[in-house]
Amino acid sequence: MEISARAAQLTPSLTLSIDSKAKAMKAEGIDVCGFGAGEPDFDTPEHIKAQRSPRWEAGFTKYTPSSAFRSCGRRLPKN
């Protein structure tokens, strides 16, 4: 199977490369805080939690799914 010239020019994702490296280091037993892809792999520090809002108490501490943005968009003014 051949790929197009344009596809051949693509470079690997730096974000995925960093994430892969962090996972490999963790597998070796190295203490790593991964910031490469997705959400951080550690809990929010206590001094930040101390300033929390009621939303935190309800568990709203993760990224919003992209599908939620569509429902927000319907409520925003169009102009």
Side-chain angles (χ1 to χ4, degrees):
M1 180 167 129
E2 290 185 41
I3 60 172
S4 69
R6 187 171 181 185
Q9 293 175 351
L10 294 174
T11 58
S13 165
L14 183 56
T15 303
L16 294 179
S17 175
I18 290 169
D19 189 56
S20 177
K21 176 68 174 176
K23 287 177 181 175
M25 292 171 71
K26 285 181 185 181
E28 293 174 16
I30 300 170
D31 187 20
V32 175
C33 289
F35 291 100
E39 297 184 10
D41 60 353
F42 54 88
D43 200 16
T44 303
E46 291 300 322
H47 72 281
I48 294 173
K49 286 181 180 181
Q51 302 298 316
R52 66 188 174 269
S53 73
R55 304 274 299 164
W56 284 58
E57 295 293 333
F60 291 96
T61 59
K62 302 295 182 191
Y63 291 150
T64 304
S66 59
S67 60
F69 290 117
R70 284 192 285 276
S71 64
C72 291
R74 285 192 288 268
R75 288 182 266 151
L76 296 174
K78 299 293 180 198
N79 49 359

